[in-house]
Amino acid sequence: MSKKIIDGKLVSANIREEIKKRTKVIKEKYSRVPGLAAVLVGEDPASQIYVRNKRKSCADVGIYSEEHKLSESTTQDELLELINKLNNDVNINGILVQLPLPNHIDESNILSSVASDKDVDGFHPINAGHLFEGKPEFIPCTPHGIIKMLEFYNIDIEGKNAVVLGRSNIVGKPAAILLLQKNATVTICHSRTKNLNHELKKADIIVAAIGKAHFVKKEMVKEGAVVIDVGINRLETGKLAGDVDFDQVQEIASFITPVPGGVGPMTITMLLWNTLISLEKSIG
Ligand code: GUN
């Protein structure tokens, strides 16, 4: 089977061009640019890198961004106060609270406190509800990016067996709903799934999002399957590895995403997209 590498950077570049163009139009017409506020609590090194990359990408497309860096000991009330301020800031169209939050902070309470019309991560229960209903407002960035990649490569979803490996609110659950809305037959697998190999082997499309390096092996994958790897796992060597054993699986997949350079760039791109859309909606 001849495999095709799904190039997340290429798909991203296309969408970012569109974002750039539309941002420029708004700037000329309204003297405004989309604004993103990133809130980072604590010192998690990976989160610091993610926020830095998100802000750099904002700058690349003409989106204003600001970072609110709070100490690990920040209280829930202090964080709520900052979010309230950002909710009322007319220059901010998107608010991103980088996860994970420290243990003493109630994550769902914080995510619910972000104004739903600035919830560019799509994590607010109202936006989760809109997505569930099939009338999405803000779609979580990683699953949205996955669908955009499949569309870019004209990969058929309708009627296909899609297996989502992982059931997080950020990736697994919304990815499953989006694939279902594209008329796939969707199975969600997780740590308690019996006969995981059997389920995976039936998949025409696999979305691997379990956070275990090289978990998906060649023998678990059907010849010709489309394999989307969401994992970003840091190996002891310092190298990044996906949830899929790329070297093996690429031999039988029809399409496969690499790590890095696959899903990762798309996640950031869809965040930029949501921030632009938020401003466009507020302008009317
Ligand atoms: N932590 C891991 N992924 C994400 C994401 O998509 N958004 C936010 N805010 N935090 C994350």
Side-chain angles (χ1 to χ4, degrees):
M1 172 64 64
S2 70
K3 53 114 193 348
K4 194 153 180 194
I5 306 292
I6 295 180
D7 184 349
K9 285 192 216 152
L10 172 71
V11 187
S12 275
N14 269 273
I15 300 174
R16 287 186 194 200
E17 264 319 298
E18 167 86 12
I19 296 171
K20 239 189 220 174
K21 258 191 242 158
R22 280 161 65 167
T23 297
K24 192 160 168 268
V25 169
I26 296 174
K27 191 173 180 184
E28 282 164 7
K29 203 162 163 194
Y30 298 98
S31 301
R32 292 193 61 184
V33 293
L36 176 74
V39 179
L40 179 59
V41 186
E43 305 290 331
D44 180 56
S47 290
Q48 289 179 8
I49 295 170
Y50 291 144
V51 168
R52 200 185 315 140
N53 288 342
K54 287 168 184 176
R55 293 199 63 204
K56 185 182 171 305
S57 302
C58 280
D60 290 344
V61 296
I63 292 179
Y64 164 76
S65 77
E66 58 187 37
E67 181 174 344
H68 297 266
K69 209 165 178 304
L70 305 178
S71 77
E72 182 85 24
S73 61
T74 300
T75 65
Q76 172 120 343
D77 284 347
E78 285 165 341
L79 184 52
L80 287 170
E81 197 181 312
L82 169 63
I83 292 171
N84 187 42
K85 212 173 87 195
L86 296 170
N87 283 342
N88 292 302
D89 184 337
V90 289
N91 292 316
I92 294 301
N93 309 102
I95 301 168
L96 166 134
V97 181
Q98 186 63 35
L99 302 178
L101 289 167
N103 286 337
H104 65 277
I105 292 179
D106 177 347
E107 185 178 292
S108 73
N109 183 298
I110 294 300
L111 296 180
S112 304
S113 74
V114 173
S116 63
D117 60 355
K118 295 190 179 187
D119 171 38
V120 286
D121 258 328
F123 295 163
H124 191 288
I126 287 187
N127 286 316
H130 286 310
L131 178 65
F132 197 81
E133 229 192 345
K135 295 176 184 158
E137 295 281 335
F138 290 115
I139 303 174
C141 303
T142 300
H144 197 185
I146 291 171
I147 297 293
K148 289 282 177 197
M149 287 197 294
L150 295 174
E151 287 175 349
F152 185 89
Y153 284 90
N154 290 317
I155 294 168
D156 245 0
I157 302 175
E158 178 150 331
K160 295 292 162 73
N161 286 330
V163 171
V164 178
L165 199 47
R167 55 176 160 176
S168 70
N169 290 335
I170 297 181
V171 182
K173 283 189 219 169
I177 291 175
L178 289 170
L179 289 162
L180 179 64
Q181 283 162 3
K182 296 274 178 192
N183 298 316
T185 301
V186 182
T187 305
I188 304 177
C189 294
H190 46 80
S191 55
R192 312 279 169 88
T193 298
K194 294 201 168 102
N195 270 328
L196 181 67
N197 289 13
H198 174 74
E199 298 296 340
L200 272 176
K201 196 85 187 186
K202 287 191 295 191
D204 303 304
I205 300 170
I206 294 174
V207 175
I210 44 163
K212 288 188 182 163
H214 296 162
F215 180 85
V216 177
K217 303 287 185 195
K218 184 176 170 183
E219 60 271 16
M220 302 173 181
V221 177
K222 182 165 89 175
E223 178 98 28
V226 174
V227 182
I228 306 294
D229 190 349
V230 181
I232 305 179
N233 308 291
R234 182 75 63 184
L235 300 176
E236 275 175 14
T237 58
K239 271 186 76 177
L240 285 184
D243 290 351
V244 176
D245 194 328
F246 182 89
D247 290 343
Q248 288 187 1
V249 174
Q250 54 119 6
E251 289 173 11
I252 56 165
S254 59
F255 286 90
I256 186 166
T257 61
V259 175
V263 173
M266 291 302 295
T267 296
I268 299 185
T269 296
M270 299 326 292
L271 175 73
L272 306 176
W273 177 260
N274 280 348
T275 307
L276 166 68
I277 297 296
S278 176
L279 174 59
E280 287 183 345
K281 280 185 185 166
S282 75
I283 289 169

